[in-house]
Amino acid sequence: MKGIILAGGRGTRLFPLTTAVSKQLLPVYDKPMVYYPLSMLMLAGIRDILVISSPDALPQFRSLLCDGSQWGLRFAYAAQAEPRGLADAFLVGRDFIADEPVCLILGDNIFFGHGLPNQLRRAAQLTEGATIFAYPVRDPQRYGVVEFDETGRALSIEEKPKHPRSNYAVPGIYFYDQQVVGIAAGLQPSARNEIEITDVNNVYLSRGQLSVEALGRGVAWLDAGTHETLLQAGGFIQAVQDRQGMMISCPEEIAYRLGYIDADEVRRQALVINNQYGEYLLLLLKENLPFHRGVA
């Protein structure tokens, strides 16, 4: 399976912070925001990754992420000239996907929790249909909302409804088979003039090929798209890391634990980071800290 990080858009809700820099390059405590969705793809076992952003921001992403080999990954880059909706990522990335299953993750979504990597790895094994997730929120009208029947089967998905039929929102990570490019290409723009990911999901739902998995209470989903949520996300990451002594969404650690890079490569990268981040990587090698596969 291949992966796409959608890091486009103008980030207007974060102006003036994002007037001159992409939202997904802003810091969330001790890491660039894009590290968090990247780590989710890595934990799912995905190593071929396309980063989609605006033409002016792509050089900054290339400078930060390079070709991915430092983490045992392979990065490609593509420009989205105008934000045309989430599902436009499949049209921009058509050649990259090349008739393979793909996972799309939004560049400003942060996930953390016990059992989450196991769910991601299972979803990444799909060969037919689609898998999305559902997460209870207080303000479902801001998201795509899943309606369930009494047995837990998904009945409908509605984008930003004024009167939500449930409080279960669809987080910004989606797994699809190779049909997704053709489905996205056949969609008509919505009233917002966007190619909606909810419309993609509803096509799979109508075909009986959509699996919706609930994320449990032990999983945190943070959308760092406003000043308030960006600050909250940074505070959450700091609190958990300080308490547990383990980093959240550290690509170097994940790559090392999964065998993508060796100890010498971790040490080389750690020695050029003269702060607590670099010290953590060195401690990782010295003490062989346990890797909790159920935690992101």
Side-chain angles (χ1 to χ4, degrees), residues 127-199:
T127 58
E128 183 178 359
T131 296
I132 62 174
F133 299 94
Y135 188 89
V137 296
R138 289 191 302 172
D139 49 355
Q141 64 274 7
R142 293 179 51 212
Y143 306 96
V145 175
V146 186
E147 176 191 11
F148 296 98
D149 66 14
E150 62 276 3
T151 68
R153 180 174 62 92
L155 295 176
S156 69
I157 306 174
E158 190 176 5
E159 183 66 21
K160 295 181 173 63
K162 291 183 179 179
H163 304 287
R165 297 177 181 175
S166 83
N167 69 327
Y168 279 92
V170 179
I173 182 167
Y174 319 85
F175 294 82
Y176 300 106
D177 66 9
Q178 70 279 2
Q179 300 178 84
V180 70
V181 173
I183 291 172
L187 296 177
Q188 295 297 317
S190 67
R192 302 189 301 164
N193 199 33
E194 293 190 356
I195 304 174
E196 304 283 1
I197 198 73
T198 292
D199 291 340

Side-chain angles (χ1 to χ4, degrees), residues 4-8 50-54 58 78-80 88-90 92-93:
I4 295 177
I5 300 174
L6 183 57
L50 175 67
V51 178
I52 297 176
S53 191
S54 61
L58 273 183
Q80 186 185 46
D88 185 51
F90 303 115
V92 174

Side-chain angles (χ1 to χ4, degrees), residues 209-249:
Q209 294 183 315
L210 181 70
S211 172
V212 182
E213 296 187 17
L215 296 177
R217 286 175 175 244
V219 173
W221 169 42
L222 308 174
D223 174 0
T226 68
H227 298 106
E228 293 79 12
T229 57
L230 180 63
L231 183 63
Q232 290 166 4
F236 174 84
I237 298 298
Q238 180 185 18
V240 174
Q241 290 187 172
D242 286 355
R243 179 65 172 173
Q244 296 185 347
M246 295 185 294
M247 274 200 176
I248 296 173
S249 295

